[in-house]
Amino acid sequence: MEIYAYWLDGEHLRLSGWDRQDESLAVMLKIQALLGHAVVLSDIQLIDSAVVQTLFASDDFRSFVRSCPGFLRCTTGAPTGSDPFTLVTAGLPRTLEPGWLSSSFDTAEPLIRLSEAVLERRDANPGPLFARGTALGALYEEGGATRQRLEAVAWTLHHFSTEAGVPLGTSTVARPSSYCEVLEEVAELPGLPGRDYAPVARTLAYLDEHLGESERHRRSLLIAHLDATNPPHGIAMGNTATQAWNAAVQRTLGTDGASPRSLPEAADVGLYLGSPTDALFEPSTPATASPAGPGLAPNHLAAVGALSWQDIAKIQLDDAVTRLRDDYQRALRAGDAAAADDALAALLRTVRKKLPAAGQGSGHLGWAAVEAGLAGAGLAIGAADALGFAAPALAFGLAAERLLRGGRRRSHIVNTLMAAGRRGSWTQRGAT
């Protein structure tokens, strides 16, 4: 399955308070790889996602994506038939527009300078870009934090534009929807839970009051207005707009599904659109009925985290794992819950044998395939008590797909998924 990950968006990372020392999202990507999902990146994620920068700064990860090129894919709005360089660098001209703001750097200047150099040279190879005597080499000191992150962006662009076998695509959407249009659609859904309806309605009301029709396609303009006016529920509105913006990007990229992740006080609008084939949930404490705050503690999934990306590649390329992973992916695409259950159980048994055993390294990871109530097949990845939690941390599955095929209301899909992820109960539309 091709998945668009909300949590790789630079603004999503900034609003969630993600720290570069937090390895939990890298662990999440390793799990995606083990299950055979392909993660699709947008043009702006290639250059302005702090997680992508952190990954491509690592020789270990760059070696992994060279050996398993199908794991990360890139789709942009470049014209059909574009050469790889033009397709991959489609987001760079956006950084040169007046008023553009970076979500991963304190100022936009570093990415502006990199964009200018890459577009002028038509080459993103970090070596020549930062060589002594070049503009970038003179501006950014070797070994400095800013230069290292810029070099990681260059490595990302270089990989996608030059590496053989990397899947590239052009969006077929003639007119991408805006985050405002996504909010309007979600607001009209019957049975929308009250926790999600309230921030959607407030955000739309704020847009009607403060932004004209021609301004509503730019998330940055809304954020600027919110910063200037500091209204009640401003965090909820800004974060809800970011969730909707990512839902709009998901549609533009045309992925099979998405991996939505909550932002504080925001409506989880992505769970109501299309097929959230892979849904990420954090555990809640027994005393709360609301989603847990963003961020998984790095030690929660330490057993997977202990594996290097080269370890992941070895598992990926194992013949038995490949066969079982392909069986699981075929069942997912067919919406066959029974076959997916069987294939998943076999896949996890095989993968489990290759994880660190108890007492070795970071400890033993417990894998379990679970039923998600009415939703059918699902997957929970938990860990032993030694890893610090008992409730499932992650829930993947066919829940939304199966319910959608059955014609059930989307609010029920979300309620069922939330129950599977132990995120508590939900009120109905308009309730507080």
Side-chain angles (χ1 to χ4, degrees):
M1 304 292 287
E2 290 188 342
I3 300 298
Y4 173 71
Y6 284 38
W7 34 275
L8 290 178
D9 168 44
E11 191 68 7
H12 198 289
L13 290 166
R14 186 184 71 81
L15 293 172
S16 68
W18 180 77
D19 185 276
R20 290 179 180 273
Q21 304 305 312
D22 179 4
E23 297 181 357
S24 62
L25 298 186
V27 175
M28 182 65 190
L29 288 170
K30 290 177 181 179
I31 293 169
Q32 300 279 16
L34 292 174
L35 295 178
H37 293 313
V39 176
V40 181
L41 300 176
S42 69
D43 53 4
I44 207 67
Q45 283 178 327
L46 293 179
I47 59 176
D48 202 27
S49 168
V51 170
V52 175
Q53 293 166 15
T54 300
L55 290 168
F56 272 90
S58 161
D59 290 336
D60 181 38
F61 183 77
R62 295 200 300 271
S63 179
F64 166 76
V65 290
R66 284 194 296 269
S67 60
C68 301
F71 172 59
L72 282 186
R73 305 186 183 186
C74 170
T75 298
T76 76
T80 302
S82 296
D83 62 273
F85 178 86
T86 300
L87 193 151
V88 170
T89 58
L92 296 186
R94 199 181 314 175
T95 69
L96 305 179
E97 295 175 355
W100 185 83
L101 299 175
S102 170
S103 299
S104 62
F105 288 85
D106 292 336
T107 70
E109 182 179 357
L111 280 177
I112 291 172
R113 299 289 173 255
L114 180 68
S115 296
E116 291 172 339
V118 170
L119 292 173
E120 179 182 356
R121 300 176 67 96
R122 288 193 60 82
D123 182 13
N125 189 328
L129 278 174
F130 290 89
R132 185 174 299 177
T134 62
L136 291 177
L139 279 171
Y140 302 106
E141 179 183 1
E142 186 174 359
T146 298
R147 174 159 167 174
Q148 289 177 340
R149 290 165 59 192
L150 287 175
E151 287 176 334
V153 175
W155 275 121
T156 308
L157 298 172
H158 186 63
H159 168 79
F160 280 97
S161 60
T162 63
E163 195 69 32
V166 176
L168 302 175
T170 298
S171 171
T172 58
V173 176
R175 180 187 170 277
S177 64
S178 70
Y179 74 89
C180 184
E181 291 169 331
V182 168
L183 290 174
E184 290 171 344
E185 178 179 339
V186 172
E188 294 302 317
L189 292 175
L192 188 66
R195 179 193 174 276
D196 283 349
Y197 178 73
V200 168
R202 290 190 185 110
T203 306
L204 286 171
Y206 187 89
L207 287 167
D208 286 340
E209 182 178 354
H210 293 278
L211 275 76
E213 292 287 342
S214 63
E215 300 175 309
R216 297 182 186 183
H217 66 289
R218 293 189 63 184
R219 171 178 56 172
S220 59
L221 294 178
L222 171 62
I223 301 302
H225 273 279
L226 290 171
D227 289 344
T229 59
N230 192 27
H233 308 291
I235 292 175
M237 289 189 286
N239 290 358
T240 295
T242 291
Q243 296 287 65
W245 187 89
N246 278 287
V249 173
Q250 172 196 342
R251 285 179 161 180
T252 301
L253 300 184
T255 60
D256 299 317
S259 182
R261 192 182 199 194
S262 292
L263 283 172
E265 305 178 38
D268 290 316
V269 297
L271 292 177
Y272 299 94
L273 304 171
S275 301
T277 314
D278 161 50
L280 165 63
F281 303 102
E282 285 85 30
S284 297
T285 63
T288 181
S290 62
L296 294 170
N299 67 332
H300 284 176
L301 297 174
V304 172
L307 298 174
S308 70
W309 281 104
Q310 285 307 290
D311 293 331
I312 299 293
K314 291 175 183 177
I315 297 175
Q316 272 256 27
L317 299 173
D318 179 86
D319 289 341
V321 171
T322 297
R323 176 176 56 80
L324 295 171
R325 187 176 63 242
D326 290 347
D327 289 344
Y328 176 56
Q329 288 293 318
R330 276 193 295 270
L332 282 178
R333 289 186 176 279
D336 189 334
D341 277 342
D342 292 341
L344 178 60
L347 171 62
L348 295 180
R349 282 195 300 269
T350 302
V351 169
R352 180 175 175 174
K353 296 175 183 178
K354 302 179 183 299
L355 296 176
Q360 298 180 5
S362 60
H364 176 72
L365 182 72
W367 297 79
V370 299
E371 286 290 317
L374 294 173
L379 166 65
I381 301 178
D385 291 341
L387 293 181
F389 65 101
L394 304 172
F396 301 77
L398 288 166
E401 178 65 21
R402 185 168 181 183
L403 284 171
L404 280 171
R405 287 174 181 269
R408 304 297 291 271
R409 291 189 312 171
R410 295 189 182 189
S411 59
H412 182 68
I413 295 171
V414 176
N415 279 318
T416 305
L417 282 168
M418 295 303 169
R422 300 179 67 94
R423 291 183 60 176
S425 59
W426 297 77
T427 58
Q428 288 301 305
R429 174 174 178 168
T432 56

